[in-house]
Amino acid sequence: TWRRVYWAVLVYLACVILAAYWFTRAYR
Amino acid sequence: MRFVQAYFGLPIAMVVICATVVPVFYRARVYTAYEYLENRFDAKTRSLASVIFLCQRGLSAGLTIYAPAIVLSVILGWPERATTMLMGMVVVTYTVIGGIKAVTWSDVQQMVVIVLGLLVALVTVIVMLPHAVSFGDAVYLAGAAGRLNAVTTNFNWNDRFNIWSGLIGSTFLFLSYFGCDQSQVQRYLTGRSLAESRIGLLCNAVAKIPMQFFILFIGAMVFVFYVFVEPPVLFQHTELQRIAQVSEYSGVETRYHEAFERRRDAALSLAEAHRAGDKAAHAHGLAEYRGAQQSLDAARTDAARLVEANGGEPGFSDTNYIFLSFVTRYLPAGLVGLVIAVIMAATMSASAGEINSLATVSVVDIYRRHFRRGASDHHYLLASRWATVFWGVYAVAFAGWGKKLGSLIVAVNVVGSLFYGSLLGCFVVAFAFKRVGGTAVFLGMLAGELAIFSVFLHGGISYLWFNVIGCVVVVGVSLALTWAAPGVFAKARVDERV
């Protein structure tokens, strides 16, 4: 049952990194 | 802002720990991480892990004592050496007489007040900006000065924070911290159920990066605040007072003041050009703004050199004083007192708890096992009190050295990285390679520590990678020894339960 939770956390991490990358590019 | 990358490995580490480490600890029916090592390997491996824990936690306790010492230094205007000694004596005294609870607030109350203080700091910055500068302009000006580089993709071993050290190095750091450090392991081993322990760890994984981003963003906004309100040349008031008498200081101060005015004017025209979409004015304003920033940084560097040349410590840095100076000077009066009281309570109870746990592990895992078996309870109580005094002195002695590692939050991570890698390697061998015996992993851990300290002293590789190096060396040496001489190093009987 935990497999989906783990994948959700990893997808969340990918989204956070993409958002941080966009933020860096936008305000460079 | 680049420091946020040091948390990119946290969610990965939490998923791995929830999927593998937590069930193993629960199934092994242990209450400490090191008890598990004794079941899996032998007593000497447990003792070595305990000694590594003591070294690492003792150094961390020094940094925990240093935090309230900085607060006292800012409030009272005393030199930080004096306030560090004072804090060390106070913490050791009330730990010895058993008064930890007297300074302990609940974690939730502390967190609420600190977050409230941070929010008020952000609002204060925005309210005190000049009328011509909007919040959007402030964010733009922080970015133009290079203060919002949240992600850097260049790979460089010696660069502390980039996406690679964040995703790989910090994954190993957090695997060690949450998988091998008893202060964290005890939190989920005493959870009500396996599911509750996992939920706690995963909530931490999800919340930590946005929270850290928010804190660093406030720091960037404080930078913009000081673009329009002239800050002192150095934020450490006691050192600034000392060099103010030196003849070269007036020249540094004049250059600093001129650079500040140039930067402020350039920032105003840059924000206006950015809003108007005037490309030529924007390019000119940006060059002027960045040039003035470099002149300002150069003047601050010269002031720091003056401190070093006039009796200050080598490697002087006032990084830890910047935000605290802002809080004490510009936040509403009642809130400043509340925030400082909470910081003092949190750091003092944390350092008392750390020194208490150091004394307990010293007596239970080292003294009672290897030096004095079967003595009376009164004897061990006295030994524990002397151990408390020893670790208090050890922590205070280290506090002065720790600040040279960078800002406090970075220094804590550097100190952890010096020891966590080999501990993690030991647990990886324990979980994944059931044939490896205690002597092989014991020698592997010694080799791992040797490798980490060699890299640390040689330089050229930043601290997040220490965790990877330590872990790989421990696993490699343990497996190589077991493969080369299985009769000596392999376990005679494999117990699948541990």
Side-chain angles (χ1 to χ4, degrees):
Chain A
T1 49
W2 286 91
R3 185 176 56 177
R4 285 178 189 168
V5 177
Y6 298 149
W7 279 112
V9 170
L10 295 176
V11 168
Y12 163 82
L13 172 65
C15 294
V16 164
I17 291 173
L18 284 173
Y21 184 68
W22 169 84
F23 179 82
T24 302
R25 295 297 297 264
Y27 289 103
R28 182 165 284 174
Chain B
M1 190 61 100
R2 297 173 65 210
F3 181 62
V4 78
Q5 294 170 114
Y7 287 85
F8 284 175
L10 180 64
I12 302 171
M14 289 308 202
V15 165
V16 172
I17 286 170
C18 287
T20 58
V21 178
V22 180
V24 169
F25 278 157
Y26 267 72
R27 209 166 42 221
R29 301 173 184 179
V30 293
Y31 297 107
T32 78
Y34 309 123
E35 191 185 348
Y36 171 80
L37 287 182
E38 184 165 17
N39 293 349
R40 169 65 181 81
F41 295 117
D42 50 28
K44 69 176 181 296
T45 305
R46 173 183 174 161
S47 294
L48 180 59
S50 297
V51 167
I52 289 175
F53 166 81
L54 289 172
C55 292
Q56 191 269 323
R57 276 284 142 182
L59 300 182
S60 289
L63 295 170
T64 317
I65 283 176
Y66 181 54
I70 292 174
V71 176
L72 269 189
S73 178
V74 169
I75 297 170
L76 301 175
W78 293 3
E80 64 179 34
R81 275 181 194 168
T83 56
T84 305
M85 292 282 287
L86 177 65
M87 287 309 309
M89 284 165 61
V90 169
V91 167
V92 167
T93 303
Y94 67 67
T95 307
V96 166
I97 60 176
I100 296 174
K101 284 183 180 172
V103 293
T104 306
W105 281 26
S106 87
D107 288 351
V108 175
Q109 286 171 315
Q110 288 177 3
M111 195 67 196
V112 166
V113 173
I114 287 173
V115 169
L116 178 69
L118 287 169
L119 281 170
V120 172
L122 182 60
V123 171
T124 304
V125 165
I126 295 166
V127 167
M128 293 183 75
L129 286 171
H131 291 300
V133 179
S134 68
F135 176 66
D137 292 336
V139 177
Y140 172 74
L141 288 170
R147 295 300 195 272
L148 297 180
N149 290 339
V151 177
T152 45
T153 52
N154 298 335
F155 181 85
N156 180 350
W157 287 107
N158 204 16
D159 178 18
R160 278 184 167 177
F161 308 118
N162 54 55
I163 195 166
W164 311 110
S165 66
L167 282 174
I168 302 168
S170 90
T171 296
F172 277 72
L173 172 62
F174 288 117
L175 278 172
S176 316
Y177 184 47
F178 289 96
C180 316
D181 188 318
Q182 181 56 27
S183 70
Q184 299 304 313
V185 171
Q186 71 189 11
R187 293 185 179 198
Y188 56 79
L189 283 187
T190 53
R192 268 181 289 187
S193 68
L194 188 61
E196 191 184 72
S197 297
R198 282 171 161 165
I199 289 167
L201 289 168
L202 292 173
C203 284
N204 190 339
V206 169
K208 205 68 170 271
I209 297 176
M211 197 177 88
Q212 196 62 47
F213 185 89
F214 169 65
I215 291 168
L216 294 168
F217 181 75
I218 291 173
M221 288 298 100
V222 169
F223 165 81
V224 176
F225 170 82
Y226 280 129
V227 166
F228 299 105
V229 175
E230 185 164 3
V233 180
L234 295 175
F235 287 88
Q236 194 168 343
H237 187 63
T238 50
E239 297 299 313
L240 186 62
Q241 272 186 320
R242 206 150 54 80
I243 61 166
Q245 317 303 325
V246 178
S247 58
E248 298 102 305
Y249 177 69
S250 60
V252 171
E253 192 177 37
T254 304
R255 279 190 289 121
Y256 179 80
H257 180 68
E258 286 169 358
F260 166 78
E261 295 209 323
R262 266 177 55 215
R263 184 180 67 170
R264 184 191 56 200
D265 296 344
L268 286 168
S269 55
L270 178 62
E272 197 175 331
H274 177 65
R275 272 198 308 270
D278 182 341
K279 286 190 175 177
H282 178 268
H284 177 263
L286 191 61
E288 181 67 16
Y289 179 58
R290 287 177 174 166
Q293 179 63 48
Q294 284 178 348
S295 303
L296 199 84
D297 290 341
R300 265 174 57 77
T301 303
D302 289 346
R305 294 230 174 89
L306 274 181
V307 170
E308 292 170 19
N310 289 277
E313 292 180 10
F316 169 81
S317 166
D318 62 352
T319 305
N320 291 316
Y321 285 79
I322 297 173
F323 187 69
L324 199 57
S325 300
F326 171 80
V327 165
T328 51
R329 185 147 182 208
Y330 295 104
L331 254 61
L335 187 65
V336 174
L338 185 62
V339 167
I340 284 175
V342 167
I343 291 172
M344 298 289 278
T347 50
M348 287 171 76
S349 63
S351 43
E354 276 191 326
I355 288 174
N356 198 36
S357 73
L358 285 164
T360 304
V361 171
S362 304
V363 172
V364 172
D365 268 12
I366 308 294
Y367 183 70
R368 198 163 70 176
R369 277 168 163 263
H370 302 291
F371 293 96
R372 188 80 187 268
R373 289 168 180 268
S376 67
D377 285 349
H378 179 69
H379 175 85
Y380 290 128
L381 178 65
L382 271 179
S384 176
R385 286 184 172 164
W386 278 112
T388 301
V389 173
F390 168 79
W391 286 112
V393 172
Y394 179 97
V396 169
F398 172 70
W401 181 77
K403 67 187 176 193
K404 292 174 186 166
L405 297 173
S407 66
L408 262 177
I409 182 77
V410 171
V412 167
N413 282 311
V414 173
V415 165
S417 297
L418 289 174
F419 300 96
Y420 280 149
S422 50
L423 269 181
L424 177 63
C426 178
F427 278 90
V428 168
V429 171
F431 294 155
F433 303 101
K434 299 291 185 189
R435 284 195 66 230
V436 177
T439 304
V441 84
F442 182 89
L443 294 171
M445 286 168 79
L446 291 177
E449 277 306 312
L450 192 65
I452 291 170
F453 273 89
S454 302
V455 171
F456 174 63
L457 295 171
H458 181 266
I461 295 181
S462 71
Y463 75 88
L464 283 173
W465 295 107
F466 296 175
N467 301 284
V468 184
I469 292 166
C471 180
V472 168
V473 168
V474 173
V475 174
V477 169
S478 306
L479 290 179
L481 288 172
T482 307
W483 175 78
V488 179
F489 295 112
K491 265 181 98 81
R493 189 176 61 84
V494 174
D495 183 351
E496 287 299 337
R497 288 173 305 165
V498 292

